[in-house]
Amino acid sequence: MKIYFAPLEGVTDEIYRRVHFECFGGPDKYFIPFISPTQHFTFSSREQKAMSPEENKGIPVVPQVLTKNPEHFCEMAARLKEFGYTEVNLNAGCPSGTVTAKGKGSGMLRDKCALRAFLDEVFLHCPLPVSVKTRIGFESADEWNELISIYKDYPFSDIILHMRTREEFYKGRPHIELVENAMDAFSCPVVYNGDVFYQEDAEDVSTRFPALSGLMLGRGLVANPAFARVLKGGKPATKEELKRFHDRLYRRYLEAWPKNAVIGHMCEIMVYMSCMYVNPHKLLKTLRKTKELAAYEDAAERIFTETPLRDDPGFDLMVLKK
Ligand SMILES: Cc1cc2nc3c(=O)[nH]c(=O)nc-3n(C[C@H](O)[C@H](O)[C@H](O)COP(=O)(O)O)c2cc1C
């Protein structure tokens, strides 16, 4: 079973991916959060860094493209091929209103004829193998069979399924039972994504659908950076490893970013990673109030040294609401 690191815009940037790869590894592929080509192919500095061959050297990364324009997609793929990438991923899942209003991301699922026309063009001209990360409908899961009948006509290198509709964003449980329809119809590798937070979630999905070629992990892997390694038979994270991971991340961000941005960003990552610890809430609260580097370092140190690790680490959605 392959394990992929999901793209998480604002979290799994090039610094995070490299430090994760160095300290834990485990994922067979790290997906780069979406790059959105414009008419003139000008990119934000985030996007330039994200796709830079230097920044990604030695790491098995897959760039993801967000567009509804097949020419832009293929032109982008040609550039990525020149950079040395060997696969390009289509984002057909982003639920954000500003994205879907332009017919991109999961907005592509609304107009099924346009989706087919897009894929026809892409598979005629794209110079790289194409994978897709898709939701199962725009408004309703009833759209899934029609989407399957479209996707099954194209030779995707992977079809990654996030089993929710756009309407559902990340709420409620994924429609896992509808994976069955996809397994029956698709001849290309199928990867499951969504709410795999504990080892037993991964076991449930893979036992239920043994023909899946892999699992894509997002929030569960940010919470427990050793999760992919564990699912591949490796050892769980130790306290020392988590501290080393944190310290290296923190140092690399400080080298690249302004100090205030680093504190905010590290707090965001620590909220996820707090799921590794028994009752970290008080210390986490202190950490999130810090404004100065010294105070941040002190509060982080206390989490790493004073809080015991949980026996059954896994992402808990409630931490994002606290
Ligand atoms: C903060 C955040 C940023 C995300 N950015 C992207 C993105 O750039 N591209 C994408 O395809 N999905 C993106 N996603 C969706 C995730 O890749 C993934 O599908 C989702 O988190 C569900 O998987 P999980 O339950 O394992 O976290 C994002 C999700 C979150 C929470």
Side-chain angles (χ1 to χ4, degrees), residues 146-165:
E146 193 182 349
L147 288 171
I148 288 176
S149 73
I150 297 173
Y151 285 135
K152 76 172 177 36
D153 290 342
Y154 302 91
F156 290 101
S157 55
D158 273 318
I159 299 194
I160 302 159
L161 308 178
H162 182 77
M163 301 302 295
R164 288 186 176 95
T165 64

Side-chain angles (χ1 to χ4, degrees), residues 112-300:
K112 314 291 187 283
C113 290
L115 177 64
R116 191 179 273 285
F118 174 92
L119 293 173
D120 280 343
E121 283 298 303
V122 161
F123 278 91
L124 262 182
H125 301 295
C126 188
L128 282 178
V130 179
S131 58
V132 64
K133 180 164 179 278
T134 185
R135 288 184 180 246
I136 58 169
F138 189 78
E139 275 171 358
S140 152
D142 294 342
E143 296 163 46
W144 184 219
N145 283 340
E146 193 182 349
L147 288 171
I148 288 176
S149 73
I150 297 173
Y151 285 135
K152 76 172 177 36
D153 290 342
Y154 302 91
F156 290 101
S157 55
D158 273 318
I159 299 194
I160 302 159
L161 308 178
H162 182 77
M163 301 302 295
R164 288 186 176 95
T165 64
R166 185 267 170 176
E167 276 304 298
E168 292 165 334
F169 273 70
Y170 297 105
K171 292 191 292 280
R173 296 292 301 163
H175 301 265
I176 186 165
E177 68 289 352
L178 297 181
V179 170
E180 186 99 51
N181 312 26
M183 301 312 300
D184 291 344
F186 295 148
S187 50
C188 45
V190 179
V191 173
Y192 178 87
N193 166 249
D195 293 25
V196 176
F197 298 150
Y198 288 86
Q199 206 168 337
E200 64 190 44
D201 298 333
E203 281 158 12
D204 280 354
V205 178
S206 47
T207 309
R208 206 157 154 189
F209 304 108
L212 279 172
S213 81
L215 296 175
M216 173 180 265
L217 311 173
R219 294 162 295 177
L221 187 46
V222 179
N224 174 4
F227 194 19
R229 184 176 82 187
V230 169
L231 293 182
K232 295 211 144 200
K235 58 184 176 45
T238 62
K239 281 183 98 165
E240 295 72 28
E241 270 186 310
L242 290 167
K243 179 169 159 44
R244 191 170 352 115
F245 175 62
H246 167 275
D247 291 354
R248 196 176 289 192
L249 259 185
Y250 177 66
R251 224 177 29 250
R252 299 264 174 95
Y253 281 121
L254 274 181
E255 283 160 15
W257 291 9
K259 133 185 137 173
N260 286 344
V262 175
I263 295 177
H265 188 65
M266 287 305 300
C267 282
E268 201 181 331
I269 293 171
M270 285 297 283
V271 169
Y272 281 97
M273 282 175 54
S274 68
C275 298
M276 296 298 286
Y277 297 91
V278 179
N279 222 348
H281 313 297
K282 228 170 128 185
L283 287 176
L284 192 64
K285 219 168 169 180
T286 310
L287 183 90
R288 293 172 84 178
K289 282 193 193 137
T290 58
K291 301 257 179 305
E292 293 301 325
L293 294 178
Y296 173 85
E297 287 163 22
D298 197 47

